[in-house]
Amino acid sequence: MKTKIILIALLLTSFSFAQGGMKEKKEKIKALKVAYITEQLDLTTEEAQKFWPVYNAFDDKQFDIKHNKMKVILNQFENGGINNLSEKEAFDLISKMDTYEDEMHNLKKKYVKDLLTVLPAKKIIKLKKAEDEFNRKLLREFRGRKN
């Protein structure tokens, strides 16, 4: 249950960050991320041509699950709050959350399998490291601007 609470907090944060005319900033962040990943992985032209369609398809599907499907759950929290949920409604929300988490897990497994057809395993590990580093840098930048 603690994992679900953390997930909801992260989703609320990312959902609120994505609202309010942030489209240009999101595009800039995406471009910076592409440049960072490309540099960190040292992709050959052939690897890049095969890698980016796989990466972008995964990213789009992941976005759909995190933002569009989880939005239904987040809306439930906003419409009267958790305290106004019946036990059945709460159970249904937990079931939906589990379904979305399973869907995300299966998507990630397929993504790694697809990546293994276009990149060596070492570069896939470098990709994970590069994404984590980029996200940490982005978070530090975001926190720095808020202060």
Side-chain angles (χ1 to χ4, degrees):
M1 190 63 166
K2 187 175 183 180
T3 305
K4 289 182 185 356
I5 293 169
I6 292 169
L7 174 66
I8 291 167
L10 289 172
L11 287 171
L12 285 171
T13 303
S14 64
F15 182 72
S16 64
F17 180 78
Q19 289 185 346
M22 298 291 282
K23 190 172 186 170
E24 298 84 19
K25 289 182 182 181
K26 284 174 58 177
E27 290 300 318
K28 182 178 178 185
I29 289 169
K30 187 171 185 169
L32 290 170
K33 184 176 184 181
V34 167
Y36 188 80
I37 288 171
T38 300
E39 178 186 326
Q40 294 300 308
L41 295 186
D42 193 27
L43 295 173
T44 66
T45 303
E46 185 179 329
E47 287 173 334
Q49 288 174 343
K50 293 176 182 177
F51 167 74
W52 286 111
V54 172
Y55 185 88
N56 290 331
F58 168 75
D59 197 46
D60 291 344
K61 290 175 186 171
Q62 180 177 248
F63 181 85
D64 180 55
I65 293 168
K66 285 183 177 178
H67 296 276
N68 297 334
K69 292 182 177 184
M70 290 300 284
K71 190 187 301 185
V72 172
I73 293 170
L74 295 174
N75 287 341
Q76 193 70 42
F77 294 134
E78 293 172 4
N79 296 333
I82 298 168
N83 292 331
N84 293 333
L85 292 176
S86 70
E87 196 59 29
K88 180 176 179 350
E89 289 170 328
F91 183 81
D92 289 346
L93 281 178
I94 290 171
S95 295
K96 283 182 187 177
M97 289 167 45
D98 284 343
T99 299
Y100 298 152
E101 287 176 12
D102 289 344
E103 196 174 333
M104 183 64 77
H105 177 71
N106 291 332
L107 177 64
K108 287 179 181 179
K109 284 173 50 176
K110 181 186 179 314
Y111 172 59
V112 171
K113 186 177 177 182
D114 292 347
L115 282 177
L116 284 168
T117 67
V118 298
L119 291 178
K122 279 178 132 178
K123 284 196 177 182
I124 295 171
I125 293 169
K126 283 183 177 182
L127 170 63
K128 177 64 176 149
K129 183 176 183 271
E131 287 178 313
D132 290 346
E133 287 172 353
F134 181 83
N135 290 335
R136 276 193 298 276
K137 289 179 181 187
L138 183 64
L139 187 57
R140 280 194 297 266
E141 176 75 19
F142 183 70
R143 285 182 181 158
R145 288 185 180 188
K146 284 185 92 173
N147 294 332

